Amino acid sequence: MSASPLEVRLREAVPPEAALTEADRALVQLLDRLAAERYRFVAPTPSTAAIVSGRRERARPGNLRDVLGWSLPFAPGDLPDYVEALLRAGDVVRPDGALLRPTVRVSTVDGRLHLHSARGTEADAVFLGPDSYRFVRLLHETLDRRPGFARALDIGAGAGVGALALAARAPLAEVAATDVNPHALRLMRINAVHAGQPLRVVEGSGVAGLTGPFDLVVANPPYIADSDGRTYRDGGEALGTAAALGWAREATGVLAPGGRMILYTGAPVVEGRDLVHAGLTELAAARGLDLAYEELDPDVFGGTLRRPEYATVERIAAVGAVLTKG
């Protein structure tokens, strides 16, 4: 029996081993070996990571979580031979005095291992953390209530957490993912190959010129007003809400009838007014969309309020929104 056109597209969308570099293939192999050995690590907040990793100067010999979770330096020979060899082959280990330090971490989200950036502040870093887990939980809870989609898009997908969650839920769906960060695209491809999930990975901002209609568009944009303009953190103008509201406008413009945009983000609250809710309410009214909105956590990244630009903000809430096209 010949394959359907959709099945052919799916096979072509999977990043083939031959298209990856030798370094990429080494990191796929690393994830495969770690999964076989039941490695697990939950990515915490940056502040928690700093506290826990600060308790010791270097990784304990043989402790993979110290190195690949807490980003601690290690001595040559401290890790299983295959781990050190694959880290070197993947070009993700750097000298740190007499020790070595990884430039990546490996965390578990939704039962899958994801390669992402080690702790640090590099402009092209790709981080996972509590927002990643809340984002995936929002996707599952929303899709549990109304499952089914044939064509989906994850905007600003980073390491691919959301896109891979969608692909795992709907093996016959066509799932695309965009990001402006080439480093994120590399990690996303590696994670997709390891997971055996078909993704169409596209470099670009927002919908990146992809044509609709999509049954489902999802996004977990950065939402902090960051004066350094770091890709992983900066949500743009209007107290960091510009990315979320801009992506919502783009996403709802490529939805099929009945299609949904699921958005997870942070919302600054000024004098009791949620700025993201206000912006989405205006967008929904202008385009005839149905809006469901929920505050998932009333207070995240509280330390950000010490910054001058947040002088009027009383809290930042983690929120989930679903915009549905009639």
Side-chain angles (χ1 to χ4, degrees):
M1 181 182 296
S2 61
S4 70
L6 177 58
E7 291 170 332
V8 171
R9 290 201 306 272
L10 286 174
R11 284 203 297 266
E12 292 173 347
V14 177
E17 289 283 348
L20 301 180
T21 67
E22 289 295 328
D24 294 342
R25 284 194 284 272
L27 296 178
V28 172
Q29 187 179 350
L30 174 65
L31 294 178
D32 292 345
R33 291 287 299 270
L34 292 173
E37 296 188 10
R38 300 184 182 278
Y39 169 95
R40 295 289 184 273
F41 184 81
V42 174
T45 63
S47 58
T48 295
I51 292 169
V52 174
S53 63
R55 292 172 179 167
R56 58 183 67 94
E57 294 182 355
R58 53 174 285 182
R60 293 164 290 187
N63 194 308
L64 294 177
R65 296 175 77 254
D66 277 1
V67 175
L68 297 175
W70 298 113
S71 301
L72 291 171
F74 63 97
D78 273 357
L79 299 180
D81 290 344
Y82 82 89
V83 174
E84 185 174 332
L86 291 173
L87 288 173
R88 290 180 182 274
D91 192 28
V92 291
V93 66
R94 298 287 182 269
D96 185 357
L99 302 176
L100 299 171
R101 186 183 293 272
T103 62
V104 294
R105 285 183 287 175
V106 180
S107 295
T108 312
V109 184
D110 205 33
R112 288 175 297 278
L113 296 184
H114 294 75
L115 199 70
H116 59 114
S117 296
R119 293 190 307 110
T121 57
E122 291 80 6
D124 66 348
V126 182
F127 290 136
L128 304 188
D131 280 334
S132 306
Y133 298 97
R134 285 189 286 254
F135 176 44
V136 170
R137 186 166 64 246
L138 174 66
L139 297 182
H140 286 313
E141 290 175 352
T142 303
L143 293 171
D144 283 346
R145 290 192 293 269
R146 185 187 139 198
F149 57 90
R151 194 163 187 247
L153 170 64
D154 184 0
I155 297 176
V161 168
L164 290 175
L166 297 181
R169 280 192 71 107
L172 293 180
E174 180 182 351
V175 180
T178 70
D179 205 288
V180 297
N181 182 353
H183 184 52
L185 301 179
R186 182 198 181 201
L187 297 178
M188 196 190 314
R189 291 188 183 99
I190 292 168
N191 292 334
V193 172
H194 162 67
Q197 297 292 357
L199 292 184
R200 180 184 177 191
V201 178
V202 180
E203 182 173 359
S205 177
V207 301
L210 295 175
T211 57
F214 289 97
D215 306 301
L216 180 64
V217 181
V218 305
N220 172 18
Y223 55 79
I224 300 298
D226 182 49
S227 58
D228 294 327
R230 290 167 288 187
T231 303
Y232 67 86
R233 182 178 176 88
D234 186 21
E237 298 177 351
L239 292 171
T241 66
L245 297 178
W247 289 2
R249 283 190 293 272
E250 287 192 54
T252 54
V254 295
L255 288 178
R260 292 168 289 175
M261 195 263 183
I262 303 175
L263 174 69
Y264 170 87
T265 191
V269 178
V270 179
E271 295 292 336
R273 182 172 183 263
D274 178 330
L275 301 189
V276 172
H277 184 248
L280 292 179
T281 299
E282 181 180 342
L283 174 65
R287 295 191 174 179
L289 306 167
D290 178 68
L291 171 64
Y293 193 88
E294 181 181 5
E295 190 171 280
L296 305 174
D297 191 321
D299 186 11
V300 297
F301 288 100
T304 302
L305 304 187
R306 297 189 182 96
R307 298 172 58 178
E309 56 265 52
Y310 281 85
T312 62
V313 177
E314 59 193 46
R315 61 188 175 94
I316 301 172
V319 300
V322 182
L323 289 152
T324 304
K325 183 176 180 179

